[in-house]
């Protein structure tokens, strides 16, 4: 009988592998959606020679490594970005499994939602509210990753992604209020936030500063070529707000926004790479806030 620590590790590695596979899918979505291509109906193929990718070369991260970053058919280099996205998503699912799922929700602002810890008690014997919180947060990180990739490629965030995120938040806040764990915490301060709808709606408000940046860019559009970055940034903040609730929404803007401001300030020439980090900072900020939600909330009296 293996020890609980080993079962935890195997389960986390398995969830990490699922995350890497989803990361592989996100690469495809981010590449095809802005071009109006079907996301599901056409199997993966080399963008240069159009040969279908063999199933054994399509294994996340490792496929790229054993092909040494080159297409098996035409030898053209394949961007390391595919493997990096798979690795980042795999790592996020892995880390969050320990920090959220196996800890019984110890990272959540109201504290753990169960006294049980470990993969056996919370995942293999399903604790649905906890698995729901984990899946909800993983989904948010996936949606944000699509926006990051689309943004790097210089496109506007696809409307389908926005609709999907908002619809998901409406359904989830209507049916499973435990997906908005800050409500209980807010009640302790006498804030009437018993409703998860209210939390989700206030979360959207938290993206307003980001949208103001967008409006400002629109006004000054005449002087410079219009960029999709402010819109993508505002949408990424809005999605975080509506899916995590008002508190996390503001925090993301605060931490992600100030990190971006510092980077842009340090980089005197506002080149592509400095602007690019604007949406990436929302992904990193959101991931950080999910991981350290409780200690961060504890900093505020
Ligand atoms: Zn090829």
């Amino acid at each position: 009988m293996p020890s609980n620590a080993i079962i935890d590790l195997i389960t986390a590695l398995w969830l990490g592998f699922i995350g890497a596979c989803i990361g592989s899918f996100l690469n495809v979505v981010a590449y095809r959606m802005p071009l109006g291509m079907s996301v599901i109906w056409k199997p993966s193929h080399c963008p240069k020679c159009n040969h279908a990718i063999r199933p054994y070369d399509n294994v996340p991260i490792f496929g790229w490594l054993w092909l040494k970053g080159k297409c098996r058919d035409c030898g053209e280099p394949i961007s390391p970005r595919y493997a990096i996205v798979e690795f980042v998503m795999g790592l996020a699912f892995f880390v969050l499994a320990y920090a959220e799922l196996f800890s019984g929700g110890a990272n959540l602002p109201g504290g753990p939602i169960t006294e049980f810890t470990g993969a056996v008690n919370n995942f293999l014997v399903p604790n649905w509210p906890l698995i729901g919180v984990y899946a909800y947060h993983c989904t948010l990180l996936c949606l944000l990753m699509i926006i990051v990739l689309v943004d790097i490629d210089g496109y506007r965030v696809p409307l389908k992604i926005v609709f999907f995120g908002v619809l998901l938040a409406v359904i989830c806040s209507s049916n499973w209020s435990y997906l908005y764990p800050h409500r209980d915490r807010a009640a302790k301060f006498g804030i009437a936030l018993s409703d998860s709808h209210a939390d989700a709606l206030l979360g959207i408000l938290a993206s307003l500063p980001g949208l103001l940046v967008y409006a400002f860019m629109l006004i000054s559009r005449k002087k410079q070529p219009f960029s999709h970055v402010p819109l993508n940034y505002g949408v990424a903040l809005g999605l975080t707000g509506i899916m995590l609730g008002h508190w996390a929404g503001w925090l993301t803007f605060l931490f992600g926004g100030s990190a971006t401001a510092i980077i842009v300030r340090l980089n005197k020439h506002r080149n592509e790479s400095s602007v690019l980090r604007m949406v990436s900072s929302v992904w990193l900020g959101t991931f950080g806030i999910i991981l350290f939600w409780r200690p961060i909330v504890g900093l505020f009296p």
Side-chain angles (χ1 to χ4, degrees):
M1 187 68 191
S3 76
N4 280 345
I6 291 175
I7 297 176
D8 282 4
L9 182 64
I10 292 169
T11 312
L13 283 173
W14 182 74
L15 288 167
F17 177 72
I18 303 275
C21 291
I22 292 173
S24 176
F25 177 67
L26 300 181
N27 276 319
V28 176
V29 172
Y31 174 74
R32 292 186 186 178
M33 232 180 209
L35 300 176
M37 293 159 76
S38 167
V39 169
I40 0 181
W41 297 117
K42 207 175 164 203
S44 294
H45 59 90
C46 167
K48 306 236 168 57
C49 70
N50 234 17
H51 263 101
I53 310 279
R54 293 162 182 78
Y56 51 84
D57 288 339
N58 217 355
V59 180
I61 308 167
F62 299 104
W64 188 87
L65 288 178
W66 67 56
L67 287 174
K68 298 189 181 74
K70 287 187 181 112
C71 170
R72 192 183 283 277
D73 295 296
C74 65
E76 279 290 317
I78 304 166
S79 168
R81 164 176 145 176
Y82 295 99
I84 292 169
V85 170
E86 289 158 1
F87 178 74
V88 168
M89 291 314 297
L91 189 68
F93 278 48
F94 178 87
V95 171
L96 209 53
Y98 273 100
E100 190 159 71
L101 195 54
F102 303 164
S103 76
N107 61 319
L108 299 173
I113 55 177
T114 167
E115 61 195 82
F116 293 114
T117 56
V120 176
N121 291 321
N122 288 315
F123 187 72
L124 303 179
V125 180
N127 178 336
W128 292 117
L130 196 56
I131 292 173
V133 167
Y134 174 75
Y136 199 48
H137 292 162
C138 287
T139 306
L140 172 61
L141 291 174
C142 288
L143 291 174
L144 290 179
M145 182 55 83
I146 294 175
I147 301 177
V148 169
L149 296 176
V150 166
D151 189 71
I152 289 172
D153 291 339
Y155 294 107
R156 174 177 56 76
V157 52
L159 277 177
K160 281 177 190 169
I161 297 296
V162 182
F163 283 136
F164 178 79
V166 171
L167 188 68
L168 189 71
V170 168
I171 293 171
C172 288
S173 63
S174 306
N175 292 292
W176 305 288
S177 59
Y178 52 75
L179 295 175
Y180 290 81
H182 197 80
R183 288 172 308 114
D184 305 329
R185 173 92 193 170
K188 282 179 192 160
F189 296 101
I191 304 167
L193 208 66
S194 55
D195 196 345
S196 45
H197 277 130
D199 199 12
L201 281 175
L202 283 173
I204 281 261
L205 288 182
S207 65
L208 274 183
L211 291 173
L212 284 178
V213 175
Y214 169 54
F216 175 75
M217 292 290 279
L218 266 182
I219 292 162
S220 55
R221 186 178 173 180
K222 285 166 199 158
K223 289 176 188 170
Q224 57 189 36
F226 179 64
S227 159
H228 293 304
V229 175
L231 175 67
N232 294 342
Y233 183 62
V235 167
L237 282 172
L239 266 186
T240 299
I242 200 172
M243 285 184 69
L244 291 188
H246 73 297
W247 186 257
W250 281 109
L251 285 177
T252 308
F253 177 72
L254 207 67
F255 291 133
S258 49
T260 307
I262 292 166
I263 290 165
V264 172
R265 188 96 188 137
L266 290 177
N267 246 339
K268 279 177 186 156
H269 307 286
R270 297 187 58 184
N271 55 18
E272 279 303 304
S273 62
S274 72
V275 178
L276 173 160
R277 291 188 188 103
M278 212 163 160
V279 179
S280 310
S281 72
V282 179
W283 193 95
L284 272 175
T286 302
F287 186 47
I289 282 155
I290 294 171
L291 283 183
F292 303 107
W293 206 340
R294 196 178 186 200
I296 292 171
V297 164
L299 293 175
F300 298 85

